């Protein structure tokens, strides 16, 4: 009898374990799955359903939540009212999200990856993430349409996501590289494609683990020697620089030498000159360094000429000020000199009038003498 009971107990234990395993791999029941969503295992997908808020209730064992292509414009503290301890991946791309309030992600302590691409961020609170969060992947591609708003994003990167390893800011209208990006210690992948970045000078990355930096499709014309040296100090770095308007002048000589010496730039064979006209579309790797001359372009000549005119005007104005100052300091002597000139002119005119009165017309005097005779 004991053997039979032990067999039954063992059978019940196996059945319970099997049910627990199946609960993770079979679709969640319709009672646990929100309306307009499809729940499979621990994944919830609510795609393109015109939702205006986060659907509720969500299964507590959810690990991945897909909410792409809806109309969720505002994330509030009530967007995730119940703790989702196992949620690691959250996808909110294409929702036209404009505002993210404080405390939005407080109930998502295991959040690892957050996709907020293709939105229209206007207000993103630095307190949206809890302290000691585990976020490693943040996608903000095509979400920053207000250039002045990048300062708030900088605060988020500096204070809210210290463990971030992958950051996507492509197509975000960036003009300069935010300093806080370079201070992330664990950053390994940085995507800055299709922006309007004009310079990356004075950039020092704290992360020695940076292995992917994409700067394609920007407005880079040259990279300073100091920045090239910093890139050379990062082991394993793969740099992408194609589709930038490189100016092939005398300053480019050092960068051409750097490209020929190192293999940090993965697409260096695709880098071509944009200026001057005679070197346009010439690969940087094959450009003749003897042709890299600093000849001013017409626009630069105009700027130089305009600068010369401005300088000349400033010099003339300074000379005028000095002249007026000299006149002011010598006003008494100048006044005396003017009085002396006036007196001399007066004496000369009085002498002239005196002679005129004595002999106003010599012909009349001769006529008077003839009549007497």
């Amino acid at each position: 009898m004991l053997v039979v009971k032990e067999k039954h107990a063992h059978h019940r234990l196996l059945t319970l374990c099997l049910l627990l395993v199946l609960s993770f791999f079979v679709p969640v029941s319709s009672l646990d799955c929100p309306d307009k969503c499809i729940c499979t295992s621990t994944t919830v997908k609510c795609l393109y359903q015109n939702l205006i808020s986060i659907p509720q209730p969500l299964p507590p064992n959810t690990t991945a939540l897909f909410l792409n292509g809806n109309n969720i414009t505002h994330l509030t503290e009530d967007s995730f009212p119940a703790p989702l301890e196992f949620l690691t991946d959250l996808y909110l791309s294409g929702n036209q999200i404009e505002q993210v309030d404080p405390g939005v992600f407080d109930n998502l302590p295991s959040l690892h990856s957050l996709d907020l691409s293709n939105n229209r961020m206007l207000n993103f609170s630095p307190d949206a993430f809890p302290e000691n969060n585990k976020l490693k992947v943040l996608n903000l591609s095509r979400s920053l349409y207000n250039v002045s708003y990048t300062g708030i994003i900088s605060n988020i990167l500096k204070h809210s996501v210290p463990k971030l390893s992958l950051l996507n800011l492509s197509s975000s209208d960036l003009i300069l590289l935010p300093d806080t990006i370079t201070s992330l210690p664990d950053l390994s992948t940085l995507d800055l494609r299709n922006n309007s970045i004009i310079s990356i000078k004075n950039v020092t990355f704290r992360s020695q683990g940076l292995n992917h930096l994409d700067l394609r499709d920007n407005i880079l014309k040259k990279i300073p020697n100091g920045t090239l040296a910093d890139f050379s100090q990062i082991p394993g770095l793969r740099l992408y620089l194609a589709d930038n308007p490189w100016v092939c002048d005398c300053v480019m000589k050092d960068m051409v030498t750097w490209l020929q010496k190192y293999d940090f730039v993965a697409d260096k064979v695709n880098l071509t000159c944009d200026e001057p006209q005679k070197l346009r579309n010439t690969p940087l790797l094959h450009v003749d360094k003897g042709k890299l001359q600093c000849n001013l372009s017409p626009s630069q000549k105009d700027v130089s000429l305009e600068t010369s005119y401005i300088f000349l005007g400033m010099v003339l104005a300074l000379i005028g000020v000095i002249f007026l100052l000299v006149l002011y300091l010598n006003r008494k002597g100048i006044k005396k000199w003017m009085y002396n000139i006036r007196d001399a002119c007066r004496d000369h005119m009085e002498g002239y009038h005196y002679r005129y009165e004595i002999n106003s017309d010599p012909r009349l005097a001769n006529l008077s003498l003839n009549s007497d005779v």
Side-chain angles (χ1 to χ4, degrees):
M1 290 293 294
L2 290 174
V3 174
V4 174
K5 289 182 179 180
E6 288 179 358
K7 288 184 177 179
H8 283 293
H10 184 66
H11 180 71
R12 285 196 298 269
L13 181 60
L14 289 175
T15 303
L16 180 60
C17 291
L18 181 62
L19 289 174
L20 288 174
V21 171
L22 289 176
S23 67
F24 281 95
F25 291 97
V26 299
V28 181
S29 66
S30 60
L31 294 177
D32 296 329
C33 192
D35 187 27
K36 297 183 179 182
C37 298
I38 299 175
C39 301
T40 306
S41 182
T42 59
T43 299
V44 179
K45 294 183 178 181
C46 316
L47 305 175
Y48 305 99
Q49 296 297 321
N50 293 321
L51 299 174
I52 60 174
S53 61
I54 306 296
Q56 304 296 336
L58 292 168
N61 66 338
T62 301
T63 59
L65 177 58
F66 293 82
L67 294 164
N68 301 3
N70 287 289
N71 295 319
I72 304 171
T73 60
H74 188 184
L75 295 178
T76 68
E77 191 176 5
D78 297 328
S79 294
F80 300 97
L84 296 174
E85 300 287 344
F86 305 103
L87 184 65
T88 58
D89 301 281
L90 177 58
Y91 300 89
L92 288 161
S93 177
N95 274 279
Q96 305 299 316
I97 294 175
E98 296 181 352
Q99 183 167 338
V100 180
D101 288 349
V104 170
F105 306 112
D106 283 355
N107 283 330
L108 310 179
S110 301
L111 187 62
H112 175 277
S113 177
L114 176 60
D115 185 356
L116 289 170
S117 60
N118 290 294
N119 286 290
R120 304 186 68 87
M121 293 294 174
L122 297 177
N123 190 7
F124 197 132
S125 173
D127 299 321
F129 299 96
E131 293 184 7
N132 301 319
N133 65 82
K134 300 177 181 179
L135 191 69
K136 290 184 175 296
V137 179
L138 178 59
N139 188 351
L140 291 171
S141 174
R142 295 179 295 278
S143 289
L144 306 180
Y145 290 91
N146 188 349
V147 176
S148 62
Y149 183 63
T150 56
I152 301 178
I153 293 298
S154 295
N155 290 333
I156 294 173
L157 298 177
K158 184 176 182 180
H159 302 291
S160 304
V161 285
K163 299 180 180 179
L164 201 65
S165 62
L166 187 153
L167 177 60
N168 189 340
L169 289 173
S170 60
S171 304
S172 297
D173 293 335
L174 295 176
I175 298 176
L176 297 174
L177 189 64
D179 294 337
T180 51
I181 292 178
T182 64
S183 65
L184 294 171
D186 297 329
L187 190 65
S188 62
T189 301
L190 178 57
D191 192 341
L192 295 167
R193 285 175 296 169
N194 194 30
N195 282 289
S196 300
I197 298 174
I198 59 176
S199 174
I200 52 172
K201 61 182 179 180
N202 300 326
V203 174
T204 302
F205 288 93
R206 283 185 54 192
S207 174
Q208 291 297 303
L210 185 66
N211 54 41
H212 184 101
L213 176 56
D214 199 334
L215 287 163
R216 288 174 290 181
D217 292 302
N218 280 279
I219 314 181
L220 294 172
K221 295 185 177 182
K222 58 192 66 178
I223 298 179
N225 293 343
T227 304
L228 295 177
D230 290 337
F231 286 151
S232 302
Q233 300 302 316
I234 303 176
L237 175 64
R238 302 299 289 170
L239 187 60
Y240 297 83
L241 295 172
D243 300 317
N244 280 284
W246 303 107
V247 176
C248 293
D249 56 12
C250 60
V251 181
M252 184 61 69
K253 290 182 180 180
D254 292 332
M255 182 173 172
V256 171
T257 302
W258 184 81
L259 289 172
Q260 294 172 345
K261 182 177 180 181
Y262 299 104
D263 292 327
F264 294 105
V265 181
D267 57 352
K268 63 182 181 179
V269 296
N270 298 324
L271 272 58
T272 59
C273 299
D274 185 70
E275 293 183 19
Q277 180 66 35
K278 63 180 180 180
L279 293 177
R280 180 164 293 179
N281 297 326
T282 302
L284 262 63
L285 288 176
H286 303 139
V287 69
D288 185 358
K289 295 180 184 178
K291 296 181 180 179
L292 297 178
Q293 301 175 355
C294 284
N295 296 325
L296 295 178
S297 64
S299 59
Q300 291 173 322
K301 289 180 180 179
D302 292 340
V303 172
S304 178
L305 187 60
E306 182 179 351
T307 304
S308 299
Y309 284 143
I310 293 174
F311 180 74
L312 178 60
M314 293 175 63
V315 170
L316 292 176
L318 180 61
I319 292 174
V321 171
I322 294 174
F323 179 73
L324 292 176
L325 182 62
V326 170
L327 290 179
Y328 176 76
L329 294 176
N330 293 277
R331 60 188 183 279
K332 293 183 178 179
I334 294 173
K335 189 174 182 181
K336 182 178 180 180
W337 177 71
M338 292 181 66
Y339 285 156
N340 292 336
I341 293 177
R342 186 191 63 182
D343 294 339
C345 291
R346 181 182 298 170
D347 293 341
H348 181 74
M349 292 300 296
E350 288 179 352
Y352 177 78
H353 285 296
Y354 177 74
R355 289 193 302 270
Y356 181 78
E357 290 175 356
I358 294 175
N359 189 8
S360 60
D361 191 346
R363 292 175 297 177
L364 294 176
N366 294 334
L367 181 60
S368 177
L369 290 173
N370 291 335
S371 62
D372 294 338
V373 175

